[in-house]
Amino acid sequence: MKLKKTILTDADGVLLNWEYAFNIWMQEHGFQTVKGYQFMYDMAERYGIPKEQVKKLVRQFNESATIGYLPALRDAVQYVTKLADEGWEFHCITSLSKNKYAQRLRRKNLDKIFGKGVFTKLICLDTGDAKDDALAKYKDSKLYWIEDKPDNAKAGLKQGLKPILVEHGHNMKGDYPYPKAKDWEHIYKIVTA
């Protein structure tokens, strides 16, 4: 598969500040984070609640109206739109939900923040799903794959993609066989080098 000037990207924690919005939503529902939460990826650990309960809460959040109003992450708007203006297109692969209304809200949110046409493809997997099968469709394309979860970045590497890990508290430590970026300015420099 040969795709010119295409970047594959996750949404939550890469383009959109899902953690911020989820934390507000959880507080509104009576939950509080534990000490040191910013260095934990697992939401059950972050809130000190059972995994089964947090799975249901994440699905409920992802299928709520809130999902259509997530704010952009850091400098994503400036550099994603800059790349789009320079002829790049984006395919978004997100483990959001199979709910068609949640998917429509995700599309509206991306279009509102980044502009219509920037994301030429939106692939919505079920809540928490691994991305291996979705990434396999891009096997050996050597496309950039922007992700914040190390397991998903590794899955892209196995498929012959070029992962860039967006840095968060939960993935700061560890050695990775691909670059880590603090922001989209850094991603832009890598992609356009």
Side-chain angles (χ1 to χ4, degrees):
M1 171 186 288
K2 178 141 175 130
L3 295 170
K4 256 186 144 177
K5 293 190 82 156
T6 301
I7 296 172
L8 307 177
T9 181
D10 180 25
D12 301 313
V14 172
L15 300 165
L16 304 170
N17 199 338
W18 184 92
E19 287 180 16
Y20 169 78
F22 184 68
N23 191 44
I24 290 172
W25 186 86
M26 286 291 280
Q27 287 175 11
E28 289 171 350
H29 287 81
F31 296 93
Q32 295 298 317
T33 53
V34 299
K35 186 177 180 183
Y37 75 93
Q38 46 290 49
F39 302 106
M40 301 171 186
Y41 181 78
D42 186 316
M43 292 299 139
E45 290 176 17
R46 278 187 177 213
Y47 294 94
I49 58 177
K51 284 188 183 287
E52 285 307 311
Q53 183 182 12
V54 89
K55 279 182 183 178
K56 290 176 184 174
L57 289 165
V58 168
R59 179 176 298 281
Q60 185 181 348
F61 174 76
N62 282 359
E63 293 177 355
S64 75
T66 308
I67 210 68
Y69 300 93
L70 301 186
L73 183 74
R74 302 176 193 149
D75 61 349
V77 173
Q78 179 181 354
Y79 287 95
V80 168
T81 55
K82 183 173 174 58
L83 285 163
D85 290 345
E86 293 173 6
W88 290 84
E89 69 174 41
F90 292 82
H91 293 186
C92 183
I93 303 169
T94 178
S95 298
L96 174 72
S97 170
K98 296 305 277 178
N99 179 286
K100 66 182 179 181
Y101 300 108
Q103 292 176 12
R104 287 179 193 167
L105 285 171
R106 170 59 41 100
R107 167 59 78 183
K108 284 182 178 189
N109 194 197
L110 290 172
D111 287 349
K112 179 181 173 195
I113 291 174
F114 298 99
K116 285 189 177 191
V118 171
F119 293 90
T120 56
K121 190 177 274 193
L122 175 61
I123 301 164
C124 291
L125 309 174
D126 204 4
T127 309
D129 273 1
K131 297 179 180 171
D132 303 65
D133 291 343
L135 294 172
K137 294 175 181 158
Y138 297 94
K139 187 172 179 60
D140 296 326
S141 63
K142 295 186 175 23
L143 294 176
Y144 283 102
W145 165 228
I146 319 300
E147 174 62 69
D148 68 312
K149 185 177 178 183
D151 288 348
N152 288 334
K154 184 178 177 182
L157 189 63
K158 285 182 182 177
Q159 294 298 335
L161 303 175
K162 297 189 287 188
I164 300 172
L165 191 67
V166 176
E167 187 177 282
H168 288 274
H170 65 81
N171 66 24
M172 288 176 72
K173 296 190 173 151
D175 294 320
Y176 303 103
Y178 37 78
K180 191 170 12 172
K182 289 185 184 294
D183 53 31
W184 271 89
E185 180 181 17
H186 188 186
I187 294 167
Y188 176 86
K189 288 175 181 173
I190 294 169
V191 168
T192 60

PDB file of all heavy atoms in Angstrom, residues 127-160:
ATOM      1  N   THR A 127     -14.565   0.464  22.412  1.00  0.00           N
ATOM      2  CA  THR A 127     -13.914   1.040  23.586  1.00  0.00           C
ATOM      3  C   THR A 127     -12.801   0.127  24.088  1.00  0.00           C
ATOM      4  O   THR A 127     -13.055  -1.037  24.403  1.00  0.00           O
ATOM      5  CB  THR A 127     -14.939   1.269  24.714  1.00  0.00           C
ATOM      6  OG1 THR A 127     -16.051   1.989  24.204  1.00  0.00           O
ATOM      7  CG2 THR A 127     -14.331   2.040  25.870  1.00  0.00           C
ATOM      8  N   GLY A 128     -11.583   0.663  24.136  1.00  0.00           N
ATOM      9  CA  GLY A 128     -10.442  -0.077  24.664  1.00  0.00           C
ATOM     10  C   GLY A 128      -9.836  -1.117  23.756  1.00  0.00           C
ATOM     11  O   GLY A 128      -8.883  -1.802  24.143  1.00  0.00           O
ATOM     12  N   ASP A 129     -10.352  -1.274  22.542  1.00  0.00           N
ATOM     13  CA  ASP A 129      -9.822  -2.290  21.624  1.00  0.00           C
ATOM     14  C   ASP A 129      -8.375  -2.016  21.245  1.00  0.00           C
ATOM     15  O   ASP A 129      -7.959  -0.863  21.093  1.00  0.00           O
ATOM     16  CB  ASP A 129     -10.650  -2.348  20.330  1.00  0.00           C
ATOM     17  CG  ASP A 129     -11.836  -3.274  20.421  1.00  0.00           C
ATOM     18  OD1 ASP A 129     -12.046  -3.880  21.494  1.00  0.00           O
ATOM     19  OD2 ASP A 129     -12.565  -3.395  19.421  1.00  0.00           O
ATOM     20  N   ALA A 130      -7.623  -3.097  21.039  1.00  0.00           N
ATOM     21  CA  ALA A 130      -6.262  -3.007  20.510  1.00  0.00           C
ATOM     22  C   ALA A 130      -6.350  -2.580  19.042  1.00  0.00           C
ATOM     23  O   ALA A 130      -7.380  -2.781  18.384  1.00  0.00           O
ATOM     24  CB  ALA A 130      -5.569  -4.349  20.632  1.00  0.00           C
ATOM     25  N   LYS A 131      -5.279  -2.007  18.535  1.00  0.00           N
ATOM     26  CA  LYS A 131      -5.307  -1.442  17.186  1.00  0.00           C
ATOM     27  C   LYS A 131      -4.565  -2.271  16.149  1.00  0.00           C
ATOM     28  O   LYS A 131      -4.448  -1.867  14.996  1.00  0.00           O
ATOM     29  CB  LYS A 131      -4.760  -0.017  17.235  1.00  0.00           C
ATOM     30  CG  LYS A 131      -5.636   0.873  18.092  1.00  0.00           C
ATOM     31  CD  LYS A 131      -5.132   2.269  18.191  1.00  0.00           C
ATOM     32  CE  LYS A 131      -6.095   3.078  19.072  1.00  0.00           C
ATOM     33  NZ  LYS A 131      -5.582   4.389  19.384  1.00  0.00           N
ATOM     34  N   ASP A 132      -4.102  -3.456  16.541  1.00  0.00           N
ATOM     35  CA  ASP A 132      -3.295  -4.298  15.659  1.00  0.00           C
ATOM     36  C   ASP A 132      -3.949  -4.545  14.297  1.00  0.00           C
ATOM     37  O   ASP A 132      -3.313  -4.369  13.257  1.00  0.00           O
ATOM     38  CB  ASP A 132      -2.985  -5.645  16.328  1.00  0.00           C
ATOM     39  CG  ASP A 132      -2.283  -5.482  17.661  1.00  0.00           C
ATOM     40  OD1 ASP A 132      -2.899  -4.934  18.598  1.00  0.00           O
ATOM     41  OD2 ASP A 132      -1.122  -5.898  17.777  1.00  0.00           O
ATOM     42  N   ASP A 133      -5.218  -4.973  14.299  1.00  0.00           N
ATOM     43  CA  ASP A 133      -5.897  -5.299  13.042  1.00  0.00           C
ATOM     44  C   ASP A 133      -6.096  -4.064  12.171  1.00  0.00           C
ATOM     45  O   ASP A 133      -5.931  -4.128  10.953  1.00  0.00           O
ATOM     46  CB  ASP A 133      -7.251  -5.967  13.310  1.00  0.00           C
ATOM     47  CG  ASP A 133      -7.100  -7.362  13.912  1.00  0.00           C
ATOM     48  OD1 ASP A 133      -5.990  -7.947  13.828  1.00  0.00           O
ATOM     49  OD2 ASP A 133      -8.085  -7.871  14.476  1.00  0.00           O
ATOM     50  N   ALA A 134      -6.449  -2.950  12.776  1.00  0.00           N
ATOM     51  CA  ALA A 134      -6.640  -1.712  12.000  1.00  0.00           C
ATOM     52  C   ALA A 134      -5.320  -1.261  11.380  1.00  0.00           C
ATOM     53  O   ALA A 134      -5.282  -0.802  10.233  1.00  0.00           O
ATOM     54  CB  ALA A 134      -7.220  -0.616  12.882  1.00  0.00           C
ATOM     55  N   LEU A 135      -4.226  -1.402  12.124  1.00  0.00           N
ATOM     56  CA  LEU A 135      -2.907  -0.991  11.623  1.00  0.00           C
ATOM     57  C   LEU A 135      -2.392  -1.951  10.553  1.00  0.00           C
ATOM     58  O   LEU A 135      -1.614  -1.547   9.679  1.00  0.00           O
ATOM     59  CB  LEU A 135      -1.914  -0.894  12.780  1.00  0.00           C
ATOM     60  CG  LEU A 135      -2.209   0.198  13.802  1.00  0.00           C
ATOM     61  CD1 LEU A 135      -1.286   0.071  15.009  1.00  0.00           C
ATOM     62  CD2 LEU A 135      -2.090   1.582  13.183  1.00  0.00           C
ATOM     63  N   ALA A 136      -2.827  -3.214  10.607  1.00  0.00           N
ATOM     64  CA  ALA A 136      -2.382  -4.208   9.620  1.00  0.00           C
ATOM     65  C   ALA A 136      -2.766  -3.805   8.198  1.00  0.00           C
ATOM     66  O   ALA A 136      -2.083  -4.176   7.238  1.00  0.00           O
ATOM     67  CB  ALA A 136      -2.965  -5.579   9.963  1.00  0.00           C
ATOM     68  N   LYS A 137      -3.814  -3.012   8.064  1.00  0.00           N
ATOM     69  CA  LYS A 137      -4.238  -2.552   6.725  1.00  0.00           C
ATOM     70  C   LYS A 137      -3.210  -1.600   6.109  1.00  0.00           C
ATOM     71  O   LYS A 137      -3.248  -1.332   4.917  1.00  0.00           O
ATOM     72  CB  LYS A 137      -5.602  -1.887   6.823  1.00  0.00           C
ATOM     73  CG  LYS A 137      -6.686  -2.867   7.212  1.00  0.00           C
ATOM     74  CD  LYS A 137      -8.022  -2.222   7.444  1.00  0.00           C
ATOM     75  CE  LYS A 137      -8.996  -3.314   7.844  1.00  0.00           C
ATOM     76  NZ  LYS A 137     -10.132  -2.860   8.559  1.00  0.00           N
ATOM     77  N   TYR A 138      -2.300  -1.083   6.933  1.00  0.00           N
ATOM     78  CA  TYR A 138      -1.260  -0.156   6.463  1.00  0.00           C
ATOM     79  C   TYR A 138       0.122  -0.817   6.476  1.00  0.00           C
ATOM     80  O   TYR A 138       1.136  -0.130   6.402  1.00  0.00           O
ATOM     81  CB  TYR A 138      -1.246   1.090   7.350  1.00  0.00           C
ATOM     82  CG  TYR A 138      -2.534   1.877   7.302  1.00  0.00           C
ATOM     83  CD1 TYR A 138      -3.535   1.667   8.247  1.00  0.00           C
ATOM     84  CD2 TYR A 138      -2.746   2.835   6.313  1.00  0.00           C
ATOM     85  CE1 TYR A 138      -4.721   2.395   8.209  1.00  0.00           C
ATOM     86  CE2 TYR A 138      -3.928   3.563   6.274  1.00  0.00           C
ATOM     87  CZ  TYR A 138      -4.908   3.337   7.219  1.00  0.00           C
ATOM     88  OH  TYR A 138      -6.076   4.059   7.176  1.00  0.00           O
ATOM     89  N   LYS A 139       0.146  -2.138   6.551  1.00  0.00           N
ATOM     90  CA  LYS A 139       1.386  -2.902   6.694  1.00  0.00           C
ATOM     91  C   LYS A 139       2.452  -2.478   5.687  1.00  0.00           C
ATOM     92  O   LYS A 139       2.178  -2.341   4.501  1.00  0.00           O
ATOM     93  CB  LYS A 139       1.094  -4.395   6.552  1.00  0.00           C
ATOM     94  CG  LYS A 139       2.295  -5.280   6.848  1.00  0.00           C
ATOM     95  CD  LYS A 139       1.884  -6.735   6.890  1.00  0.00           C
ATOM     96  CE  LYS A 139       3.059  -7.645   7.162  1.00  0.00           C
ATOM     97  NZ  LYS A 139       3.733  -7.397   8.419  1.00  0.00           N
ATOM     98  N   ASP A 140       3.646  -2.266   6.224  1.00  0.00           N
ATOM     99  CA  ASP A 140       4.844  -1.929   5.438  1.00  0.00           C
ATOM    100  C   ASP A 140       4.715  -0.643   4.617  1.00  0.00           C
ATOM    101  O   ASP A 140       5.467  -0.444   3.664  1.00  0.00           O
ATOM    102  CB  ASP A 140       5.258  -3.096   4.537  1.00  0.00           C
ATOM    103  CG  ASP A 140       5.678  -4.314   5.352  1.00  0.00           C
ATOM    104  OD1 ASP A 140       6.251  -4.139   6.442  1.00  0.00           O
ATOM    105  OD2 ASP A 140       5.412  -5.450   4.897  1.00  0.00           O
ATOM    106  N   SER A 141       3.792   0.222   4.984  1.00  0.00           N
ATOM    107  CA  SER A 141       3.624   1.492   4.264  1.00  0.00           C
ATOM    108  C   SER A 141       4.640   2.541   4.711  1.00  0.00           C
ATOM    109  O   SER A 141       4.812   3.553   4.060  1.00  0.00           O
ATOM    110  CB  SER A 141       2.207   2.037   4.476  1.00  0.00           C
ATOM    111  OG  SER A 141       2.007   2.320   5.850  1.00  0.00           O
ATOM    112  N   LYS A 142       5.281   2.291   5.875  1.00  0.00           N
ATOM    113  CA  LYS A 142       6.251   3.227   6.458  1.00  0.00           C
ATOM    114  C   LYS A 142       5.629   4.597   6.784  1.00  0.00           C
ATOM    115  O   LYS A 142       6.313   5.601   6.833  1.00  0.00           O
ATOM    116  CB  LYS A 142       7.483   3.390   5.566  1.00  0.00           C
ATOM    117  CG  LYS A 142       8.290   2.116   5.438  1.00  0.00           C
ATOM    118  CD  LYS A 142       9.564   2.359   4.676  1.00  0.00           C
ATOM    119  CE  LYS A 142      10.511   1.243   4.559  1.00  0.00           C
ATOM    120  NZ  LYS A 142      10.217  -0.085   4.664  1.00  0.00           N
ATOM    121  N   LEU A 143       4.325   4.598   6.997  1.00  0.00           N
ATOM    122  CA  LEU A 143       3.655   5.832   7.382  1.00  0.00           C
ATOM    123  C   LEU A 143       3.956   6.142   8.846  1.00  0.00           C
ATOM    124  O   LEU A 143       4.201   5.238   9.650  1.00  0.00           O
ATOM    125  CB  LEU A 143       2.139   5.701   7.208  1.00  0.00           C
ATOM    126  CG  LEU A 143       1.616   5.537   5.788  1.00  0.00           C
ATOM    127  CD1 LEU A 143       0.109   5.324   5.801  1.00  0.00           C
ATOM    128  CD2 LEU A 143       1.982   6.737   4.935  1.00  0.00           C
ATOM    129  N   TYR A 144       3.919   7.417   9.181  1.00  0.00           N
ATOM    130  CA  TYR A 144       4.040   7.807  10.576  1.00  0.00           C
ATOM    131  C   TYR A 144       2.765   7.405  11.309  1.00  0.00           C
ATOM    132  O   TYR A 144       1.658   7.528  10.780  1.00  0.00           O
ATOM    133  CB  TYR A 144       4.272   9.316  10.712  1.00  0.00           C
ATOM    134  CG  TYR A 144       5.689   9.700  10.388  1.00  0.00           C
ATOM    135  CD1 TYR A 144       6.005  10.272   9.165  1.00  0.00           C
ATOM    136  CD2 TYR A 144       6.713   9.471  11.299  1.00  0.00           C
ATOM    137  CE1 TYR A 144       7.322  10.618   8.853  1.00  0.00           C
ATOM    138  CE2 TYR A 144       8.020   9.804  11.002  1.00  0.00           C
ATOM    139  CZ  TYR A 144       8.322  10.368   9.785  1.00  0.00           C
ATOM    140  OH  TYR A 144       9.617  10.698   9.490  1.00  0.00           O
ATOM    141  N   TRP A 145       2.943   6.925  12.544  1.00  0.00           N
ATOM    142  CA  TRP A 145       1.833   6.491  13.398  1.00  0.00           C
ATOM    143  C   TRP A 145       2.001   7.201  14.735  1.00  0.00           C
ATOM    144  O   TRP A 145       2.910   6.908  15.508  1.00  0.00           O
ATOM    145  CB  TRP A 145       1.868   4.984  13.542  1.00  0.00           C
ATOM    146  CG  TRP A 145       1.042   4.361  14.632  1.00  0.00           C
ATOM    147  CD1 TRP A 145       1.471   3.427  15.528  1.00  0.00           C
ATOM    148  CD2 TRP A 145      -0.345   4.567  14.937  1.00  0.00           C
ATOM    149  NE1 TRP A 145       0.442   3.059  16.372  1.00  0.00           N
ATOM    150  CE2 TRP A 145      -0.680   3.750  16.028  1.00  0.00           C
ATOM    151  CE3 TRP A 145      -1.331   5.393  14.393  1.00  0.00           C
ATOM    152  CZ2 TRP A 145      -1.955   3.716  16.587  1.00  0.00           C
ATOM    153  CZ3 TRP A 145      -2.605   5.365  14.952  1.00  0.00           C
ATOM    154  CH2 TRP A 145      -2.910   4.529  16.022  1.00  0.00           C
ATOM    155  N   ILE A 146       1.126   8.169  15.010  1.00  0.00           N
ATOM    156  CA  ILE A 146       1.225   8.997  16.206  1.00  0.00           C
ATOM    157  C   ILE A 146       0.287   8.426  17.273  1.00  0.00           C
ATOM    158  O   ILE A 146      -0.923   8.345  17.061  1.00  0.00           O
ATOM    159  CB  ILE A 146       0.858  10.476  15.913  1.00  0.00           C
ATOM    160  CG1 ILE A 146       1.434  10.960  14.577  1.00  0.00           C
ATOM    161  CG2 ILE A 146       1.277  11.364  17.085  1.00  0.00           C
ATOM    162  CD1 ILE A 146       2.924  10.902  14.439  1.00  0.00           C
ATOM    163  N   GLU A 147       0.863   8.070  18.420  1.00  0.00           N
ATOM    164  CA  GLU A 147       0.123   7.329  19.452  1.00  0.00           C
ATOM    165  C   GLU A 147       0.678   7.693  20.829  1.00  0.00           C
ATOM    166  O   GLU A 147       1.833   8.110  20.932  1.00  0.00           O
ATOM    167  CB  GLU A 147       0.298   5.831  19.165  1.00  0.00           C
ATOM    168  CG  GLU A 147      -0.267   4.860  20.174  1.00  0.00           C
ATOM    169  CD  GLU A 147      -1.759   4.929  20.353  1.00  0.00           C
ATOM    170  OE1 GLU A 147      -2.523   4.558  19.447  1.00  0.00           O
ATOM    171  OE2 GLU A 147      -2.177   5.355  21.453  1.00  0.00           O
ATOM    172  N   ASP A 148      -0.142   7.538  21.870  1.00  0.00           N
ATOM    173  CA  ASP A 148       0.352   7.806  23.235  1.00  0.00           C
ATOM    174  C   ASP A 148       0.482   6.542  24.073  1.00  0.00           C
ATOM    175  O   ASP A 148       1.104   6.563  25.128  1.00  0.00           O
ATOM    176  CB  ASP A 148      -0.555   8.815  23.957  1.00  0.00           C
ATOM    177  CG  ASP A 148      -1.922   8.244  24.258  1.00  0.00           C
ATOM    178  OD1 ASP A 148      -2.541   7.664  23.346  1.00  0.00           O
ATOM    179  OD2 ASP A 148      -2.392   8.380  25.398  1.00  0.00           O
ATOM    180  N   LYS A 149      -0.069   5.456  23.623  1.00  0.00           N
ATOM    181  CA  LYS A 149      -0.009   4.195  24.378  1.00  0.00           C
ATOM    182  C   LYS A 149       1.127   3.339  23.802  1.00  0.00           C
ATOM    183  O   LYS A 149       1.079   2.956  22.623  1.00  0.00           O
ATOM    184  CB  LYS A 149      -1.343   3.463  24.269  1.00  0.00           C
ATOM    185  CG  LYS A 149      -1.423   2.206  25.105  1.00  0.00           C
ATOM    186  CD  LYS A 149      -2.811   1.593  25.000  1.00  0.00           C
ATOM    187  CE  LYS A 149      -2.895   0.308  25.804  1.00  0.00           C
ATOM    188  NZ  LYS A 149      -4.217  -0.324  25.635  1.00  0.00           N
ATOM    189  N   PRO A 150       2.143   3.032  24.605  1.00  0.00           N
ATOM    190  CA  PRO A 150       3.281   2.260  24.093  1.00  0.00           C
ATOM    191  C   PRO A 150       2.901   0.946  23.391  1.00  0.00           C
ATOM    192  O   PRO A 150       3.501   0.607  22.369  1.00  0.00           O
ATOM    193  CB  PRO A 150       4.127   2.006  25.349  1.00  0.00           C
ATOM    194  CG  PRO A 150       3.832   3.181  26.225  1.00  0.00           C
ATOM    195  CD  PRO A 150       2.362   3.463  25.997  1.00  0.00           C
ATOM    196  N   ASP A 151       1.904   0.218  23.900  1.00  0.00           N
ATOM    197  CA  ASP A 151       1.504  -1.042  23.261  1.00  0.00           C
ATOM    198  C   ASP A 151       0.999  -0.811  21.840  1.00  0.00           C
ATOM    199  O   ASP A 151       1.283  -1.599  20.935  1.00  0.00           O
ATOM    200  CB  ASP A 151       0.416  -1.751  24.073  1.00  0.00           C
ATOM    201  CG  ASP A 151       0.949  -2.361  25.364  1.00  0.00           C
ATOM    202  OD1 ASP A 151       2.186  -2.446  25.539  1.00  0.00           O
ATOM    203  OD2 ASP A 151       0.118  -2.741  26.213  1.00  0.00           O
ATOM    204  N   ASN A 152       0.247   0.268  21.630  1.00  0.00           N
ATOM    205  CA  ASN A 152      -0.257   0.565  20.288  1.00  0.00           C
ATOM    206  C   ASN A 152       0.852   1.079  19.368  1.00  0.00           C
ATOM    207  O   ASN A 152       0.840   0.807  18.169  1.00  0.00           O
ATOM    208  CB  ASN A 152      -1.394   1.577  20.353  1.00  0.00           C
ATOM    209  CG  ASN A 152      -2.670   0.969  20.912  1.00  0.00           C
ATOM    210  OD1 ASN A 152      -2.895  -0.234  20.820  1.00  0.00           O
ATOM    211  ND2 ASN A 152      -3.496   1.802  21.521  1.00  0.00           N
ATOM    212  N   ALA A 153       1.797   1.820  19.928  1.00  0.00           N
ATOM    213  CA  ALA A 153       2.948   2.267  19.131  1.00  0.00           C
ATOM    214  C   ALA A 153       3.755   1.051  18.687  1.00  0.00           C
ATOM    215  O   ALA A 153       4.167   0.955  17.520  1.00  0.00           O
ATOM    216  CB  ALA A 153       3.807   3.228  19.943  1.00  0.00           C
ATOM    217  N   LYS A 154       3.944   0.103  19.604  1.00  0.00           N
ATOM    218  CA  LYS A 154       4.675  -1.135  19.304  1.00  0.00           C
ATOM    219  C   LYS A 154       3.950  -1.941  18.222  1.00  0.00           C
ATOM    220  O   LYS A 154       4.580  -2.506  17.330  1.00  0.00           O
ATOM    221  CB  LYS A 154       4.816  -1.964  20.582  1.00  0.00           C
ATOM    222  CG  LYS A 154       5.636  -3.214  20.436  1.00  0.00           C
ATOM    223  CD  LYS A 154       5.737  -3.920  21.785  1.00  0.00           C
ATOM    224  CE  LYS A 154       6.486  -5.225  21.672  1.00  0.00           C
ATOM    225  NZ  LYS A 154       6.538  -5.926  22.968  1.00  0.00           N
ATOM    226  N   ALA A 155       2.622  -1.977  18.289  1.00  0.00           N
ATOM    227  CA  ALA A 155       1.830  -2.680  17.268  1.00  0.00           C
ATOM    228  C   ALA A 155       2.073  -2.059  15.894  1.00  0.00           C
ATOM    229  O   ALA A 155       2.178  -2.774  14.892  1.00  0.00           O
ATOM    230  CB  ALA A 155       0.344  -2.633  17.620  1.00  0.00           C
ATOM    231  N   GLY A 156       2.183  -0.725  15.843  1.00  0.00           N
ATOM    232  CA  GLY A 156       2.479  -0.050  14.577  1.00  0.00           C
ATOM    233  C   GLY A 156       3.862  -0.384  14.066  1.00  0.00           C
ATOM    234  O   GLY A 156       4.064  -0.599  12.864  1.00  0.00           O
ATOM    235  N   LEU A 157       4.823  -0.452  14.965  1.00  0.00           N
ATOM    236  CA  LEU A 157       6.193  -0.802  14.590  1.00  0.00           C
ATOM    237  C   LEU A 157       6.234  -2.194  13.967  1.00  0.00           C
ATOM    238  O   LEU A 157       6.891  -2.413  12.944  1.00  0.00           O
ATOM    239  CB  LEU A 157       7.096  -0.730  15.824  1.00  0.00           C
ATOM    240  CG  LEU A 157       8.602  -0.849  15.600  1.00  0.00           C
ATOM    241  CD1 LEU A 157       9.119   0.315  14.751  1.00  0.00           C
ATOM    242  CD2 LEU A 157       9.331  -0.895  16.937  1.00  0.00           C
ATOM    243  N   LYS A 158       5.488  -3.133  14.558  1.00  0.00           N
ATOM    244  CA  LYS A 158       5.425  -4.506  14.028  1.00  0.00           C
ATOM    245  C   LYS A 158       4.825  -4.549  12.618  1.00  0.00           C
ATOM    246  O   LYS A 158       5.103  -5.461  11.855  1.00  0.00           O
ATOM    247  CB  LYS A 158       4.598  -5.393  14.961  1.00  0.00           C
ATOM    248  CG  LYS A 158       5.303  -5.777  16.230  1.00  0.00           C
ATOM    249  CD  LYS A 158       4.407  -6.693  17.054  1.00  0.00           C
ATOM    250  CE  LYS A 158       5.047  -7.058  18.361  1.00  0.00           C
ATOM    251  NZ  LYS A 158       4.162  -7.877  19.204  1.00  0.00           N
ATOM    252  N   GLN A 159       3.993  -3.574  12.296  1.00  0.00           N
ATOM    253  CA  GLN A 159       3.356  -3.525  10.978  1.00  0.00           C
ATOM    254  C   GLN A 159       4.186  -2.733   9.955  1.00  0.00           C
ATOM    255  O   GLN A 159       3.723  -2.474   8.852  1.00  0.00           O
ATOM    256  CB  GLN A 159       1.953  -2.919  11.083  1.00  0.00           C
ATOM    257  CG  GLN A 159       0.975  -3.757  11.862  1.00  0.00           C
ATOM    258  CD  GLN A 159       0.725  -5.121  11.249  1.00  0.00           C
ATOM    259  OE1 GLN A 159       0.895  -5.338  10.055  1.00  0.00           O
ATOM    260  NE2 GLN A 159       0.336  -6.077  12.076  1.00  0.00           N
ATOM    261  N   GLY A 160       5.373  -2.316  10.337  1.00  0.00           N
ATOM    262  CA  GLY A 160       6.222  -1.592   9.402  1.00  0.00           C
ATOM    263  C   GLY A 160       5.902  -0.112   9.318  1.00  0.00           C
ATOM    264  O   GLY A 160       6.207   0.544   8.317  1.00  0.00           O
TER     265      GLY A 160
END
